[in-house]
Amino acid sequence: MRIAANSFVAPNGFGINFRSPDVVPSEVRGGNSFSGSPASELVRLRSAVIHLKKAIDSFSGSGPLRSTPTTGSSGTQWRAFEVLSADPVMLDPLPATAATLTSTEQINTTPTSYSTRGPEFSGGTTSQATLSGIYDGSNGTDTLTFSIVAAGGLGVNKELEVRDGQGDLVDQFALPTFSQDISLEMSNGLTLDLSAGSFEVGDSFDVDVDDSIGESPRPQNPFDGIREQSPWLESGFEISDGQFEINGVSIAVSSDDSLDAVLQRIGESGAGVQAQFDAATERVVLTHQTLGAEPTIALGADTSGFLAAFKLNDAVAVGGTDEVPGQRRLLEDVEAFSTVRSGSFSVNASVVAVDIETDSLSQVIDRINFSDAGVQSGLNFASQFSIRSSDPLQALHLGSDSSGLLDALGIPEGTFEPIEQVVSRTQGVTPGRRTSRAFASQLRQLAEGLNRLYAGVDEGGFEGGYADRLRSTIGQAIASVADGESFRIGASLRLSLNSAGSQVMRVSDGSQLARSVRENADVFNAVFFGSEGLVNNLGEIASQAIAELEAVLSLPGGIVNQRA
């Protein structure tokens, strides 16, 4: 039904502000409610709505659910007792991890250190001092004082003395009488370079040396930096202009780059890798931007010396991992099973072993189901642990739980007898098995259609104003029958607008759903059939959306005769 103000109203009164066909998408002609949706996206959306409409139309021949009369006035039916956990079993998955490559060792493994490479003389001395080399530890951990003193002798009038913290002489050097660059080799492995300039008697500087704490790199300093701008790379490594490869992508390196600059360049490249300097371990860590076991990091040819200087030539590789569902995690790693211990429990005449170091809940469930106990177990649609005898006439015995797993699951020990039910066969209200199985299949098709419309963009879903309004109207239809934003029918069906991800409608698999249809026929009828039911309302919404999409796609400049 079309009404004024370009709004569609479903039979129960909720509506969506669809635009009239005389307005086209902004990508086709001007902006409107279709803005942000390219024509190709609208074609995809139209296909999804047609898929939903077909699922809705499949209900026309099956509802409302009707009883299947049989002869006789009444009878007895036996049903196996189903033992359920007291609460849903909430098991957090083990998150996926990303592949990494890490420096084989610290970037600078020198075991000793000194406080500065650019000391400054006090007073009026103009010569600039630069320290380099590896401290050999011969002066222990101490403070060395470098002082200019007066001295006698032909052609020499000043000397540089180096004394330790106790005032003992470490080194003594004659200083030139005229300005020139000089290099002084100290007895402790260090080299002191003095630039051309003047020396004033009494000027000095201090340098701390340490024989047990190693040098730390300065990731912010340029590779060719000197004195206080030194990168403090390990002696023997130099970085020059060049490049190296990560995952086939070339990363340019200049001698005046810093480690921080190159790591940022890696992250901004198309290599799919993030890079960082771990100050705690003094290593470079490369991490793939995509989680999972498949993505890898491969380093290629290096003409700059970067990979060698930062110990990445033989980097330590750790592969990524895919997410592990909570049900498949080892019992000892799951917080909900912190009280469980290795042991066993009995199911009927079978003993089920539990090893928390090697078993997951899935493995224990498989062990139960493939045993001779004659039972069916697992997590149902509501995430409750369920166990019942396969034979409706067989009692269920649970006990002798030395592992504590049954207790952790909220499953009581004991004997559970089959349940006897008296049913009316001439005036029964439940549908027959064929009808319930067919209806369950139709529910699964409807769930697939709805979930496709609500899927996230990364799951192939839809975005844009039109898709948002369509979902909003569908949500109103659900809320009208749910008296809120979600509802469930037993453990077999749940409709929830607050559901995480794309699973807006979830239905259980196999016979459980068909059995629920038979046991809850009146509830299913109330929700899905009648003038206010979902079948009628969703059908109207889907039909209107298809008409709107086909109209806008067939306009001049649009896409003509596109069919799903």
Side-chain angles (χ1 to χ4, degrees):
M1 173 175 65
R2 186 176 297 280
I3 64 173
N6 300 322
S7 177
F8 168 71
V9 178
N12 60 5
F14 49 81
I16 181 170
N17 293 322
F18 292 116
R19 296 285 183 172
S20 296
D22 60 343
V23 183
V24 299
S26 58
E27 290 72 11
V28 178
R29 182 196 293 172
N32 54 80
S33 66
F34 292 92
S35 295
S37 299
S40 59
E41 182 73 359
L42 294 178
V43 170
R44 244 180 16 97
L45 178 58
R46 172 184 165 277
S47 176
V49 178
I50 289 177
H51 180 82
L52 174 63
K53 183 64 166 62
K54 289 179 179 178
I56 295 167
D57 290 344
S58 70
F59 286 92
S60 60
S62 62
L65 297 169
R66 294 179 293 273
S67 63
T68 304
T70 58
T71 58
S73 59
S74 63
T76 298
Q77 175 177 301
W78 291 92
R79 178 168 62 88
F81 192 98
E82 182 178 20
V83 182
L84 294 172
S85 59
D87 299 299
V89 180
M90 308 305 295
L91 305 178
D92 293 330
L94 184 65
T97 62
T100 62
L101 284 182
T102 305
S103 302
T104 53
E105 58 185 357
Q106 290 182 334
I107 291 170
N108 191 334
T109 60
T110 305
T112 59
S113 62
Y114 47 101
S115 59
T116 179
R117 295 196 176 191
E120 296 285 351
F121 278 106
S122 63
T125 296
T126 61
S127 177
Q128 190 175 68
T130 301
L131 273 175
S132 60
I134 299 175
Y135 172 52
D136 63 13
S138 59
N139 302 121
T141 297
D142 203 349
T143 298
L144 304 182
T145 300
F146 295 69
S147 304
I148 300 173
V149 298
L154 182 65
V156 177
N157 60 8
K158 295 176 184 176
E159 292 180 340
L160 179 70
E161 288 185 349
V162 183
R163 294 184 179 274
D164 61 21
Q166 288 72 45
D168 295 331
L169 186 65
V170 175
D171 284 303
Q172 188 175 32
F173 302 98
L175 297 175
T177 58
F178 55 90
S179 178
Q180 62 175 312
D181 294 338
I182 60 173
S183 183
L184 308 175
E185 300 294 331
M186 298 180 61
S187 60
N188 59 13
L190 297 180
T191 298
L192 176 64
D193 292 312
L194 297 173
S195 68
S198 64
F199 299 97
E200 297 291 334
V201 173
D203 289 353
S204 65
F205 61 79
D206 292 337
V207 175
D208 295 329
V209 294
D210 198 301
D211 63 357
S212 61
I213 297 178
E215 297 175 349
S216 297
R218 283 23 173 211
Q220 73 278 8
N221 288 352
F223 300 138
D224 59 1
I226 60 173
R227 304 189 79 240
E228 290 308 292
Q229 288 299 305
S230 170
W232 290 77
L233 296 179
E234 187 171 312
S235 179
F237 292 100
E238 292 186 2
I239 298 174
S240 59
D241 295 350
Q243 62 183 25
F244 62 93
E245 291 186 354
I246 297 183
N247 288 346
V249 177
S250 294
I251 308 297
V253 178
S254 298
S255 59
D256 59 356
D257 274 333
S258 66
L259 174 60
D260 285 344
V262 175
L263 297 185
Q264 180 177 349
R265 194 171 300 145
I266 292 171
E268 294 173 350
S269 73
V273 173
Q274 289 297 121
Q276 66 176 352
F277 171 66
D278 186 341
T281 63
E282 297 187 2
R283 289 168 167 82
V284 170
V285 180
L286 306 177
T287 305
H288 206 289
Q289 294 173 349
T290 303
L291 300 176
E294 185 175 350
T296 58
I297 304 174
L299 301 178
D302 178 16
T303 61
S304 67
F306 178 89
L307 297 182
F310 290 101
K311 316 296 180 68
L312 290 169
N313 273 338
D314 299 306
V316 178
V318 177
T321 59
D322 295 326
E323 179 181 284
V324 179
Q327 195 173 337
R328 297 182 184 276
R329 294 180 63 186
L330 293 179
L331 295 174
E332 66 176 357
D333 295 334
V334 179
E335 183 178 356
F337 298 138
S338 59
T339 60
V340 177
R341 53 204 173 274
S342 295
S344 63
F345 59 90
S346 63
V347 180
N348 292 337
S350 297
V351 176
V352 180
V354 176
D355 188 328
I356 62 172
E357 295 180 355
T358 60
D359 286 340
S360 66
L361 180 59
S362 287
Q363 289 172 304
V364 175
I365 289 173
D366 287 343
R367 196 167 297 144
I368 295 171
N369 292 339
F370 287 102
S371 71
D372 294 329
V375 300
Q376 297 173 0
S377 66
L379 296 182
N380 65 15
F381 176 75
S383 297
Q384 292 173 289
F385 184 81
S386 165
I387 183 168
R388 61 185 177 87
S389 294
S390 302
D391 184 350
L393 298 179
Q394 177 183 323
L396 174 64
H397 303 277
L398 300 174
S400 303
D401 183 15
S402 62
S403 69
L405 180 60
L406 294 182
D407 183 62
L409 289 170
I411 296 293
E413 297 185 39
T415 299
F416 307 92
E417 300 292 345
I419 298 173
E420 182 180 9
Q421 294 178 316
V422 178
V423 297
S424 171
R425 300 191 182 280
T426 55
Q427 298 180 357
V429 295
T430 58
R433 292 183 179 274
R434 179 180 298 178
T435 301
S436 61
R437 284 196 298 268
F439 187 73
S441 175
Q442 291 156 356
L443 287 174
R444 282 189 283 271
Q445 293 177 42
L446 178 61
E448 180 183 343
L450 280 174
N451 292 337
R452 183 177 177 186
L453 285 178
Y454 278 84
V457 176
D458 58 343
E459 299 173 318
F462 308 93
E463 59 182 347
Y466 193 96
D468 288 342
R469 290 182 177 86
L470 177 57
R471 286 189 287 261
S472 176
T473 302
I474 291 174
Q476 293 178 56
I478 293 174
S480 71
V481 298
D483 192 24
E485 293 189 329
S486 65
F487 72 93
R488 67 172 68 236
I489 300 177
S492 62
L493 180 144
R494 184 179 69 184
L495 272 165
S496 176
L497 301 180
N498 294 322
S499 181
S502 60
Q503 296 298 305
V504 173
M505 180 175 177
R506 296 180 60 186
V507 294
S508 58
D509 296 325
S511 60
Q512 185 182 28
L513 179 58
R515 185 171 69 250
S516 181
V517 169
R518 291 195 298 273
E519 296 173 354
N520 301 279
D522 290 342
V523 179
F524 279 100
N525 278 336
V527 171
F528 288 94
F529 299 111
S531 61
E532 301 296 325
L534 283 179
V535 170
N536 183 65
N537 288 339
L538 293 181
E540 292 281 356
I541 294 170
S543 295
Q544 179 68 16
I546 293 169
E548 295 285 350
L549 288 165
E550 289 188 342
V552 82
L553 289 170
S554 64
L555 286 172
I559 299 178
V560 182
N561 295 328
Q562 295 288 334
R563 291 292 180 262

